[in-house]
Amino acid sequence: MRIIKQIALCLLAAMPLTSQAADDPQHAGELAPLPYSPYADVDYPTGLYFGDTHVHTALSGDAGGAGTTLMPNDTYRFARGEQVTSNTGLPVKLERPYDFYMITDHSDGMGVITDLLAGAANIMADPQGRKFHEAFMQGGEIRRQAAFDLVAQFAQGTLSPALNYQPGNPAYARVWGELIQAAEDFNNPHHFTTFIAYEWTSLVKGNNLHRNVIFRDGPERAGQVVPYTTTPPLGSPDPQDLWAWLQAYEDKTGGDVTAIPHNGNLSNGMMFALQDDFADGAAYDAEYAKTRQKWERLYEVTQLKGDGESHPSLSNEDEFADYETWDWGNLDLSEAKTPAMLPAEYARSGLLRGLQLQTKLGTNPFKFGLVGGTDNHVGLSTVDDDNFFGKFASLEPNPERADHAVKGNEKLGLGYKGWRYSSAGMTAVWATENTRGALFDAMERREAYATTGPRMRVRFFGGWGFEQEDLQHRDLARIGYGKGVPMGADLKSPAAGAGAPQFLVYAQRDPMGANLDRVQVIKGWLDSNGEPREKVYDVAWSGERRPDANGKLPAVGDTVDLSIPSWTNTIGAAELGAVWTDPDFNPKLRAFYYARVIEIPTPRWTAYDRVKFKLDLPADIPLKTQERAYTSPIWYGG
C-alpha cells in the first residue's frame, strides 16, 4: 500500500508524455505502443510553469496609500528577474524569475489613489478626501493607518462617493489602459508570460469575497471593457452579478475569462456558504451550481494572509492542519470569528460541501482546483523566506516588522502583528507551453497546484490500471495519462468488478530547497447517510520510519540551525512516489482526492529577520515552518 521511491533527480524534470489516454473503462490500464522515440507525437502538457496570480502595485488604493511606489513596469521587471529598488529604498532581486505573472490591482476606486496623493481638486473639495490626503502626506504610521481606514470605510459602505472611482471616471479608464498596456509590453511568450487581470474587491460589511479576474485575451478583447466593480448601480458585491458580467464579456468579445476566489478564511462564513446570503439565505438552485462551477474553476488556497487548506478544529485528526492559520475575524476586523463560520471558509470543507450540494442540485458548485498567490501589496512577489519583503511597504525588511501591531479592533479585542503574515504562495501549472492560451487552458481544466513558496514538482493521477511496477518506469507522465486522469479531472467510470481506484503520485523537491518529509493523499467523501467525512493517508515518506499502532508516522526530524539560520538535507528525500489504492473505497459514494506534499522543517522568514537584525523576538513568534504543496483534486462520482 505504501511505497517509497527515490529516483534520479532528472526523473520529473524530463517526463515524456504521449496521448494514450484510455477513455474506454474496459481498456483502462492499457498503454498503446510507443514509437521508438518516446518524445514523438506528444500532445499532453510537458512543461511545468511557476507564477503569481495575485499581485498589487502602487495603483491599488490600499497599496499606494500605505507607501508602495512600485508601478506595474517596475513589478514586471522584478518578476522576470531584474534587480529593482523596493518601496523603502532597499535593493531586491529574485533568486529565480517567474514563468508567468498577473498584476491584479483593485477594481473599485481604480485611479483614485494617484489623485488622493496628488491632492487633485476634486479630492480636496471633498471633506473625507482632504482628510485622507493630509494623512497620507504625514507619512509613517499615520499614513499606514489611513490606508487601513480607507479599506475599512470602503468595506462598511461609508466611503465618500468622491473617493470610490467607478467606470466613466476618466482616471478609472486611464489606469485600466495603463495596466493593459504594461501587461502587453512585458508579455514575452515562451519566456515570461503576463496576463491582463484585476481584483474584484467585494467586501460585505468587511467579509472577504474577493475574486481575481483573469483574461486569456490580449488588449484587442480585454480593452473593450473596464473592470466590473462592487458598488451599485454600476457594480454589485454579489458574485452572481460578477458571473453575469463575465458571461457578457465573453458574449461581446468572443474572449475567455475566469475568476479565482481567495481568502475564505476572512469571509466569516460566506465563501462556501450552503445558502445564498445575498437573497436572505434562500436555498441555492441548480442554475447557481452550474454557473459557479463554470466561472470559478480554481481557488486560491494559500497566500500571505494565511493558509486556507483546512483548520485544526475542522480536521482534528490531521496533525498538519494548523498551518499559518488566520481565524480571529473578517478582513477589516469589524466582526469576530465564531466556530460556526469555519466550515464555510476552508478549501477542504468547501470541497466537502460541494459534494453535499451536488446531491441536492445535481451539480457541484464548489468543484475547484487549488492554486496559490502572494496578494502582496508592495509590487514584489518574494515567497522565499530569506528574501521576504512583506505585505505592505511598512512591513518590508526592518527590525520592528515581526512584532509590530498591524491591525486591531480594541472593542472586540481583535488584532494581529506582522509575524502573522506568511511568505506564501505560488501557482504551478502543467501546460503545453508558456503562453497565455496554454497556461489559461491548463488552469481552466484545473491542471494546476498550489505551493507555499517552494518550486516542488508534483504529478498526481487517478485511475483503475496503475500497478506498483509503474514506479520503476522513467516515463511516469506517459503512464499517468495513459492509464488514468490528471489532477483536476474526474475518474472514469470503472469497469465491472474493477475494485478501488489507484492513485499515482510523485513529487520532487525544489532543486534549490529542502528535502521532502512525506506525501499524503487527502480524501473527502459523503458517507451512506450523506454526512461529510475526511481522512489523511500517508502514502510515501522518507527514511526508515514506520507508522505506530495507531497509524501515526513519526516526525521526520529537524536539522534547522536557528543561529545561521539554515538547515541541511541530511534527512528527508529528494523524491517520493507511490501507487496508492484507496482502502476504504465504496463505489456508491461520491469522493474527492488530492495530494499534499510536505517538506522537512526549514527556517521561517522571522528566523532570518531575527539573525539579520540581531533581534530577541517573543517566544510566541514561530521561527520554523514546513512548506507544502497542494494538488488540485480528482473527483469520483461526477
Side-chain angles (χ1 to χ4, degrees), residues 8 13 16 38 40 168 170 195 264 307 349 457 460 550 558 621 625 629 635:
F195 287 79
D307 192 79
S349 54
R457 300 173 67 87
F460 185 52
N550 297 316
D558 188 340
I621 295 180
T625 184
W635 286 266

Side-chain angles (χ1 to χ4, degrees), residues 248-276:
Y249 167 80
E250 292 194 352
D251 292 344
K252 175 181 179 178
T253 68
D256 205 349
V257 65
T258 194
I260 305 176
H262 69 86
N263 274 124
N265 60 338
L266 300 178
S267 72
N268 272 18
M270 293 188 72
M271 183 61 75
F272 304 118
L274 291 172
Q275 69 288 323
D276 189 348

Side-chain angles (χ1 to χ4, degrees), residues 46 124 135 148 167 175 191-192 210 241 287 417 425 432 453 572 633:
T46 59
M124 301 304 285
F148 288 137
V175 169
H191 300 283
F192 178 66
H210 297 183
D241 293 324
E287 187 62 27
K417 295 184 176 181
T432 56

Side-chain angles (χ1 to χ4, degrees), residues 182-213:
E184 196 65 13
D185 289 344
F186 282 86
N187 188 44
N188 186 10
H190 306 288
H191 300 283
F192 178 66
T193 299
T194 62
F195 287 79
I196 298 169
Y198 68 88
E199 182 174 353
W200 180 75
T201 319
S202 176
L203 279 175
V204 181
K205 295 298 182 182
N207 297 342
N208 184 92
L209 291 174
H210 297 183
R211 268 80 169 164
N212 291 322
V213 175

Side-chain angles (χ1 to χ4, degrees), residues 612-623:
K612 289 178 180 179
F613 297 119
K614 298 180 174 57
L615 303 175
D616 183 16
L617 293 176
D620 63 338
I621 295 180
L623 302 176

Side-chain angles (χ1 to χ4, degrees), residues 478-557:
R478 179 184 70 86
I479 293 171
Y481 285 103
K483 291 185 176 183
V485 298
M487 64 180 80
D490 292 287
L491 284 168
K492 308 293 183 182
S493 299
Q502 298 90 42
F503 295 87
L504 172 63
V505 59
Y506 224 99
Q508 181 188 64
R509 76 169 198 188
D510 182 334
M512 307 294 288
N515 273 347
L516 306 180
D517 169 4
R518 68 187 74 192
V519 176
Q520 301 173 310
V521 172
I522 287 84
K523 177 186 178 182
W525 74 99
L526 300 183
D527 65 20
S528 56
N529 296 317
E531 293 299 315
R533 304 294 182 202
E534 64 175 68
K535 190 170 182 179
V536 178
Y537 301 86
D538 291 311
V539 302
W541 54 87
S542 63
E544 301 300 322
R545 295 174 286 168
R546 293 289 180 268
D548 64 18
N550 297 316
K552 179 178 172 59
L553 185 68
V556 67

Side-chain angles (χ1 to χ4, degrees), residues 426-615:
M426 188 179 289
T427 293
V429 178
W430 286 104
T432 56
E433 60 184 12
N434 186 9
T435 62
R436 284 175 177 168
L439 292 168
F440 187 95
D441 294 347
M443 289 189 287
E444 281 215 320
R445 65 176 182 265
R446 299 180 291 245
E447 203 161 352
Y449 61 92
T451 91
T452 56
R455 301 190 187 194
M456 292 176 268
R457 300 173 67 87
V458 185
R459 286 286 200 183
F460 185 52
F461 298 95
W464 270 270
F466 296 120
E467 301 171 319
Q468 303 296 346
E469 292 75 15
D470 289 336
L471 286 170
Q472 305 294 335
H473 290 264
R474 187 171 184 274
D475 49 354
L476 286 181
R478 179 184 70 86
I479 293 171
Y481 285 103
K483 291 185 176 183
V485 298
M487 64 180 80
D490 292 287
L491 284 168
K492 308 293 183 182
S493 299
Q502 298 90 42
F503 295 87
L504 172 63
V505 59
Y506 224 99
Q508 181 188 64
R509 76 169 198 188
D510 182 334
M512 307 294 288
N515 273 347
L516 306 180
D517 169 4
R518 68 187 74 192
V519 176
Q520 301 173 310
V521 172
I522 287 84
K523 177 186 178 182
W525 74 99
L526 300 183
D527 65 20
S528 56
N529 296 317
E531 293 299 315
R533 304 294 182 202
E534 64 175 68
K535 190 170 182 179
V536 178
Y537 301 86
D538 291 311
V539 302
W541 54 87
S542 63
E544 301 300 322
R545 295 174 286 168
R546 293 289 180 268
D548 64 18
N550 297 316
K552 179 178 172 59
L553 185 68
V556 67
D558 188 340
T559 66
V560 173
D561 184 341
L562 289 174
S563 69
I564 300 175
S566 189
W567 78 97
T568 63
N569 279 329
T570 52
I571 60 173
E575 291 184 329
L576 291 172
V579 171
W580 175 77
T581 302
D582 181 1
D584 305 307
F585 180 68
N586 185 331
K588 298 180 180 179
L589 303 179
R590 289 193 176 97
F592 63 81
Y593 305 82
Y594 66 91
R596 182 171 67 184
V597 183
I598 298 179
E599 285 187 350
I600 65 172
T602 54
R604 194 173 182 269
W605 70 264
T606 45
Y608 289 99
D609 271 24
R610 177 174 170 268
V611 171
K612 289 178 180 179
F613 297 119
K614 298 180 174 57
L615 303 175

Side-chain angles (χ1 to χ4, degrees), residues 107-108 154 164 166 200-203 228-232 235-238:
S107 58
D108 288 73
F154 172 74
N164 192 5
Q166 296 291 303
W200 180 75
T201 319
S202 176
L203 279 175
Y228 187 64
T229 67
T230 67
T231 304
S236 165
D238 187 342

